[in-house]
Amino acid sequence: MNQPVVRFYLFDTGSCRASLHQALRGAPPEPIAFHALVALIEHPRYGWILWDTGYAPRLFEALRPWPFLLYPLLMPLVIEPHLALVTQLQRRGIDPAEIGYVLVSHFHFDHISGLRDFPRATIVADVDALDSVIGLDGFAALRRAFAPSLLPTDFGQRVQPVYHFNDAPLPPFGTTHDLFGDHSLRLVRLPGHARGQMGLLLQTDTGPVFLIADGAWLTRSIEEQRGPGPFGYLIADNAHLVDQTLAHLHTFARANPDVTLIPTHCPTSYARIEPVASV
């Protein structure tokens, strides 16, 4: 049987204002927009699949109570209703109920704010990521950039935890989780930035693509093997693993020049967004 290939499309769901030196150690304090990108994936058998859901206007409501209101003071947000993923998909004729799966790289605000908009999707996440946030509130939740109100009310019934990564290895990351058992979507552990963070290796109709979430904030970080500034380590789940994952990405990129790596927040990734009228 031939290995299936998928089609994928990138969407911008908004941004936060930050400084380059926060994302790249030793860089000058130049302003930069960290866009929150998501991917829509079309699988020939399993239909529409999302990689994260990005920002959504409901995040403002989630961040209104104390202590969550501190977050936008540190990371000013630019979120507009027309950029909500559900709105962009509807403009392209895709009903949110048609989304069969949402793959959650990790549970930070900028990756899950649109989860409630896809009421029939199975939500796939690493069990370690789930264990790190479920039941948290207040400062404990804020420390992990997570707000429980962003989860759907039936989250417990729809979530599909990934317990094991026992499938074919992807050097140097180790074994993977082959989501459908057909090698088209392989989940990869990218620890450090957030507990249980995953990446996704896609076999697309235009070549292999590796969605690396926040395994690195910038493509330049991978190329230069240069981690974030102190802020990036301060908010990380494990600073040592941030550097280890970055080193692995650097090694992988050099060994696999045919694979396109897409960090969620990199301006280079943002520049890849094209009109998706063909969806």
Side-chain angles (χ1 to χ4, degrees), residues 206-209 253 255-260:
T206 58
V209 173
N256 299 275
D258 60 317
V259 180
T260 301

Side-chain angles (χ1 to χ4, degrees), residues 37-92:
L37 306 186
V38 304
L40 172 69
I41 301 161
E42 185 180 12
H43 191 284
R45 178 177 178 185
Y46 295 98
W48 297 116
I49 299 162
L50 292 176
W51 171 250
D52 287 334
T53 60
Y55 284 126
R58 72 170 54 81
L59 179 58
F60 289 122
E61 182 68 25
L63 297 180
R64 189 169 296 168
W66 175 264
F68 298 100
L69 57 82
L70 297 172
Y71 182 84
L73 298 178
L74 296 171
M75 304 288 287
L77 301 172
V78 181
I79 304 174
E80 301 179 34
H82 74 279
L83 288 178
L85 181 58
V86 65
T87 301
Q88 295 192 65
L89 295 184
Q90 288 171 330
R91 285 203 302 267
R92 289 160 176 81

Side-chain angles (χ1 to χ4, degrees), residues 104-109 112 115 125 129-130 133 144-146 151 155:
V104 176
S105 65
H106 60 295
F107 283 90
H108 287 177
F109 302 129
I112 66 164
L115 267 182
L130 289 166
V133 298
R144 294 192 181 276
F146 168 74
L151 298 182
F155 178 79

Side-chain angles (χ1 to χ4, degrees), residues 80-161:
E80 301 179 34
H82 74 279
L83 288 178
L85 181 58
V86 65
T87 301
Q88 295 192 65
L89 295 184
Q90 288 171 330
R91 285 203 302 267
R92 289 160 176 81
I94 299 175
D95 190 299
E98 294 180 65
I99 303 298
Y101 292 85
V102 176
L103 314 181
V104 176
S105 65
H106 60 295
F107 283 90
H108 287 177
F109 302 129
D110 50 338
H111 296 259
I112 66 164
S113 292
L115 267 182
R116 286 176 170 263
D117 294 323
F118 304 99
R120 296 186 181 175
T122 296
I123 301 166
V124 178
D126 186 288
V127 68
D128 289 340
L130 289 166
D131 289 346
S132 73
V133 298
I134 298 304
L136 296 184
D137 204 352
F139 277 106
L142 179 61
R143 169 67 181 82
R144 294 192 181 276
F146 168 74
S149 63
L150 294 175
L151 298 182
T153 55
D154 60 349
F155 178 79
Q157 287 71 54
R158 290 200 282 132
V159 68
Q160 178 180 303

Side-chain angles (χ1 to χ4, degrees), residues 124 160-168 175-180 185-188 198 200:
V124 178
Q160 178 180 303
V162 177
Y163 290 101
H164 304 292
F165 288 74
N166 292 335
D167 296 317
T175 51
T176 63
H177 179 80
D178 189 343
L179 185 62
F180 298 129
L185 284 80
R186 296 167 65 191
L187 295 166
V188 182
M198 303 188 298
L200 180 66

